[in-house]
Amino acid sequence: MTDQSNIANAWSTLIGLLEKSPQLTLSELFAADSDRVAKMSQRIEADLGQLGQIGMLLDWSKTHLDDAALGAFEDLADVAGFDAARSALFDGGIVNPTEGRPATHGAMRGSGTEAHVEEAEALLARMGMLVEAIHEGALGPIKHLIHIGIGGSALGPALAIDALTRDLKLVDVHVVSNIDGLALEQAFAACDPETTLIAVASKTFTTTETMTNAASALKWLADNDVADPSGRVVALTANPEGAVEFGVDETRILPFPESVGGRYSLWSSIGFPVALAVGMDDFQAMLAGAQAIDTHFRETQGRANAPLLAAFGDLYYSRIRNCQTRAVFAYDERMALLPDYLQQLEMESNGKRVSVSGEPIDLPTAPVTWGGVGTDAQHAVFQLLHQGTHLIPVDFIATVAPGDELDPAHHRNLLLNCLAQGAALMAGKQSDDPARNYPGDRPSAMFLLDDIDAATFGAMIAFHEHRTFAAAVLMGINPFDQFGVELGKAMAKSIDSGEGEFDASTAALMTAAGLRT
Ligand code: F6P
């Protein structure tokens, strides 16, 4: 494992170097290099045979990264042991040392050790058989699925289903995560208990929100005279014993390995609702698209490695330009849930304050990820992006092929607005009137996808997983644990049990909320 002090020293060197080199504006960077667009953009494409193809143009030219910065980041990657860390990720090394585990989400889509990939293929085949049996009516005429899970057990499926089932869904899926009963009631209102299946998705099968919602869903089936409510439950979990204890028959338990982290689990049986909604062929295409990015990430060195280059940009803005947030705007309704998904992926992975080996980290770690959908966001938050005092690097995501079948004016306007925002953020506009002056020089990156199909969607998600991993390696962080979420859970338990001492504010609020007398 790379010594954190080496990484800290490499960061001091990098920061010193970049402070000394001239800080050119974006316009100056373009003026200085007529080849900038070609150098800083890249088309990633792969022919996946029967499973389709992926094609996307990534453009990092409107960021402040220049040759000097890229060279410095490549040197830093060497010191941080990026190549070895990347090999360890795919070779089943213990990349999550605080929990003593490898991270084998790559194996779920064919990128990993032979043993991990074989295990994944067997689990996928098992899921495929259940999905096909359900489509063929083995559990009765299933029209709806209520997918119950939270965090990584919900965000990926919700995004994938929203992105991929606009035209056609084989089963109507409702993802319910919140313990607020209103969320489950909303799903009940949209489903017929006679034709509804319940998926309980929980890596641990102990999460309070999920288990409470699961129990209420079973009660709803029973209250509505469904003969065998437990017979309508499918469990997606790394704790099959917990699912058996909950009353799920083994034939409807779809396990996945402990070494697949919650926020990296879309590719495992946590993707069951996606497979049920889009069919196994498209689910396989999603895996293949992700695998194509794994291959790119594994085989490409330095700045030509797109997720690594994205991580260089992320760290340049968070650590050199002190940007505390980064924003993601999807100019495509199908990707509207991407910012929510990325929030968990990036903030739960890299929102840490100590290194892999436990030493405090002095520089900023993950910025706050936020965002929305274009063009809506233009009429809400873009004022701050253009004229506010924060510098916020922006990612734009757009698609060349329209998702809709209306007048082409819709899609044309969507795309041209997206491009206009990137151009305006960079160019700005001088005015003698301070209120009408735009400073410009504000960075953005662009993901221009050929289309949003299952394969391209899988590629986009895998890209962001690797971008997050690469940033973690360059900061010396373990991206695969999340102990920060445990304290609040423990406190909630002590409030519930009535035990434990609380500060005066919380104690008063407990009384006001009726949680204690
Ligand atoms: O509380 C955080 C967390 O553990 C996430 O990391 C995870 O995705 C989510 O809760 C759900 O956990 P589980 O799948 O075990 O129910």
Side-chain angles (χ1 to χ4, degrees):
M1 192 182 303
T2 305
D3 192 328
Q4 180 60 23
S5 61
N6 291 340
I7 299 182
N9 289 339
W11 271 103
S12 303
T13 310
L14 181 140
I15 291 168
L17 201 117
L18 296 187
E19 273 171 4
K20 266 190 257 138
S21 52
Q23 180 82 77
L24 298 184
T25 63
L26 294 171
S27 304
E28 287 166 347
L29 286 167
F30 276 96
D33 185 355
S34 56
D35 253 3
R36 182 164 177 81
V37 175
K39 281 184 189 158
M40 296 295 292
S41 60
Q42 182 181 17
R43 190 169 156 81
I44 298 187
E45 49 189 16
D47 183 354
L48 308 172
Q50 286 181 337
L51 295 173
Q53 66 277 316
I54 60 171
M56 56 174 92
L57 175 68
L58 312 184
D59 181 4
W60 252 257
S61 64
K62 293 198 203 69
T63 69
H64 293 88
L65 293 173
D66 59 7
D67 257 342
L70 289 170
F73 271 108
E74 284 170 338
D75 291 347
L76 177 91
D78 286 343
V79 176
F82 174 74
D83 286 356
R86 177 179 56 179
S87 300
L89 175 68
F90 291 108
D91 293 348
I94 303 297
V95 291
N96 177 3
T98 51
E99 296 179 304
R101 290 179 193 151
T104 62
H105 48 282
M108 299 288 110
R109 55 220 187 198
S111 307
T113 64
E114 216 180 301
H116 286 139
V117 171
E118 258 176 37
E119 181 190 20
E121 282 172 353
L123 293 171
L124 182 67
R126 184 182 158 94
M127 181 171 99
M129 280 192 293
L130 185 60
V131 166
E132 265 147 39
I134 293 168
H135 284 158
E136 281 162 14
L139 298 183
I142 297 299
K143 291 196 182 131
H144 312 279
L145 173 73
I146 300 182
H147 174 90
I148 295 174
I150 198 162
S153 296
L155 289 161
L159 166 62
I161 288 162
D162 195 37
L164 301 177
T165 63
R166 299 275 169 149
D167 295 338
L168 172 75
K169 51 183 146 228
L170 302 174
V171 172
D172 166 45
V173 181
H174 299 262
V175 176
V176 176
S177 51
N178 202 345
I179 198 164
D180 184 339
L182 287 168
L184 197 53
E185 280 179 351
Q186 196 178 340
F188 292 161
C191 298
D192 170 5
E194 268 310 308
T195 56
T196 299
L197 192 69
I198 309 290
V200 182
S202 175
K203 181 174 173 182
T204 55
F205 231 75
T206 57
T207 303
T208 306
E209 290 89 335
T210 300
M211 300 325 294
T212 306
N213 279 331
S216 293
L218 279 173
K219 182 170 182 311
W220 174 71
L221 292 178
D223 290 349
N224 284 281
D225 303 323
V226 170
D228 174 20
S230 293
R232 289 283 190 78
V233 178
V234 176
L236 322 171
T237 186
N239 174 13
E241 299 77 21
V244 170
E245 224 170 277
F246 185 75
V248 188
D249 188 82
E250 236 180 297
T251 53
R252 279 174 284 99
I253 298 176
L254 298 176
F256 65 94
E258 193 73 59
S259 50
V260 173
R263 54 196 171 276
Y264 300 87
S265 62
L266 174 63
W267 327 101
S268 72
S269 63
I270 292 294
F272 167 77
V274 184
L276 202 64
V278 302
M280 279 313 284
D281 287 351
D282 271 5
F283 192 79
Q284 295 271 17
M286 182 180 87
L287 300 183
Q291 193 190 23
I293 294 294
D294 293 336
T295 304
H296 167 90
F297 184 64
R298 289 175 92 163
E299 294 179 353
T300 315
Q301 297 308 317
R303 67 190 76 176
N305 184 316
L308 180 62
L309 174 66
F312 289 166
D314 293 341
L315 290 165
Y316 172 84
Y317 286 110
S318 62
R319 292 195 154 184
I320 310 293
R321 303 290 288 261
N322 299 316
C323 300
Q324 293 189 337
T325 81
R326 87 173 194 91
V328 179
F329 295 100
Y331 275 68
D332 194 305
E333 280 285 324
R334 292 168 291 182
M335 296 299 260
L337 296 178
L338 183 66
D340 292 5
Y341 175 84
L342 292 180
Q343 277 186 336
Q344 188 203 19
L345 177 64
E346 298 179 0
M347 293 163 71
E348 194 166 72
S349 296
N350 290 347
K352 311 278 168 68
R353 54 189 295 113
V354 296
S355 72
V356 182
S357 42
E359 291 118 348
I361 295 182
D362 296 331
L363 291 165
T365 60
V368 173
T369 309
W370 64 284
V373 68
T375 61
D376 294 14
Q378 288 176 207
H379 301 272
V381 296
F382 273 48
Q383 162 64 37
L384 182 148
L385 296 182
H386 287 287
Q387 287 188 316
T389 51
H390 295 83
L391 181 69
I392 300 175
V394 173
D395 277 5
F396 291 111
I397 291 129
T399 315
V400 178
D404 68 284
E405 288 173 3
L406 300 182
D407 183 332
H410 284 272
H411 195 65
R412 183 178 161 74
N413 266 289
L414 183 68
L415 271 181
L416 65 84
N417 267 281
C418 180
L419 302 191
Q421 290 302 322
L425 284 166
M426 177 167 100
K429 186 167 185 283
Q430 307 311 310
S431 167
D432 294 338
D433 175 354
R436 290 180 169 77
N437 189 55
Y438 297 75
D441 197 34
R442 300 192 168 203
S444 63
M446 170 63 102
F447 294 76
L448 187 59
L449 314 179
D450 290 355
D451 199 355
I452 296 183
D453 48 23
T456 310
F457 175 83
M460 270 298 277
I461 300 304
F463 176 95
H464 284 90
E465 287 180 350
H466 293 319
R467 173 186 195 161
T468 305
F469 173 74
V473 173
L474 300 180
M475 293 186 286
I477 279 177
N478 172 4
F480 299 117
D481 65 10
Q482 61 284 320
F483 294 109
V485 301
E486 298 305 328
L487 179 60
K489 290 184 195 172
M491 288 270 198
K493 286 213 169 94
S494 4
I495 293 181
D496 194 24
S497 67
E499 288 158 13
E501 289 292 304
F502 288 92
D503 61 87
S505 162
T506 307
L509 288 169
M510 281 158 62
T511 307
L515 293 174
R516 77 170 189 197
T517 45

